[in-house]
Amino acid sequence: MRLPVAAVLLVLAFAVHAAPKRVWHLQSPPSHVDFGVRLLWLHTIHGRFESVAGTVEPRGDDRVVVDASVAVDSLAMDSQRLRHWVLDEEFFDAAQYPTLHFVSEPVPRRALDDGGALEGQLTMRGVTRPVRFELLPARCTADACMIEARGELERSAFGMRGHRTVLSDHVQLALAIAITRAPD
């Protein structure tokens, strides 16, 4: 009688560990990353990266890890001349560094719903630095969420040191991330 009970417990334990994780995938569009940087302290230059890919993956203790990549050449700006300048070597150097990559520290799952801090590592132009975003309360259903976050970084920390007399070093970021749960 003990052997069948042990066998059932072993099968249940394996089934729990083998159950698929509920991975959420970033959807692009509508996901995008906006930035703004002050020019001559009078005007703000805006840009939007329109191609965002990645996942939000469970890691245990009801925490998740966000892993996102942004295609640098998906940048949209009002001026094509300005867009080419921003994508050139002086700033994003899109030819050599075609993606921006962010991996978060494990964050409580509830922060995706309620808001809170999202900290992690951002790699841009081959330089990896810690960054912090503030998550706003999300709009979620059982299968999808729209998550917004705000943050700021210093462009010089990523090797963008040009034109410091006319361009602010501080860059404002606004992320709009749509995620859907992968099918089980």
Side-chain angles (χ1 to χ4, degrees), residues 1-150:
M1 186 78 156
R2 285 190 181 267
L3 187 57
V5 172
V8 169
L9 290 175
L10 183 62
V11 168
L12 286 175
F14 177 75
V16 168
H17 290 294
K21 294 180 180 178
R22 293 187 170 204
V23 175
W24 296 66
H25 295 274
L26 282 64
Q27 299 297 303
S28 187
S31 297
H32 60 271
V33 176
D34 293 332
F35 71 85
V37 62
R38 302 284 293 171
L39 172 66
L40 295 174
W41 296 270
L42 300 172
H43 175 70
T44 300
I45 297 172
H46 296 279
R48 171 175 285 182
F49 294 102
E50 297 180 332
S51 179
V52 181
T55 59
V56 178
E57 187 173 339
R59 290 293 168 101
D61 294 339
D62 206 29
R63 293 183 177 272
V64 296
V65 171
V66 178
D67 187 333
S69 294
V70 176
V72 175
D73 68 354
S74 73
L75 176 64
M77 298 182 80
D78 289 338
S79 162
Q80 282 301 317
R81 183 184 61 78
L82 189 57
R83 180 184 182 274
H84 289 296
W85 182 50
V86 170
L87 292 176
D88 206 9
E89 292 174 11
E90 193 170 15
F91 294 103
F92 285 106
D93 196 359
Q96 186 170 349
Y97 304 104
T99 59
L100 310 175
H101 186 225
F102 173 77
V103 178
S104 77
E105 298 295 327
V107 62
R109 164 67 177 91
R110 72 180 183 285
L112 297 181
D113 294 327
D114 302 335
L118 179 65
E119 297 178 352
Q121 299 289 316
L122 176 65
T123 302
M124 181 168 48
R125 293 178 47 101
V127 177
T128 302
R129 298 276 187 258
V131 294
R132 183 179 192 275
F133 296 104
E134 190 62 35
L135 292 166
L136 304 176
R139 299 178 310 273
C140 294
T141 65
D143 295 321
C145 285
M146 179 56 82
I147 300 170
E148 294 183 44
R150 304 281 183 262

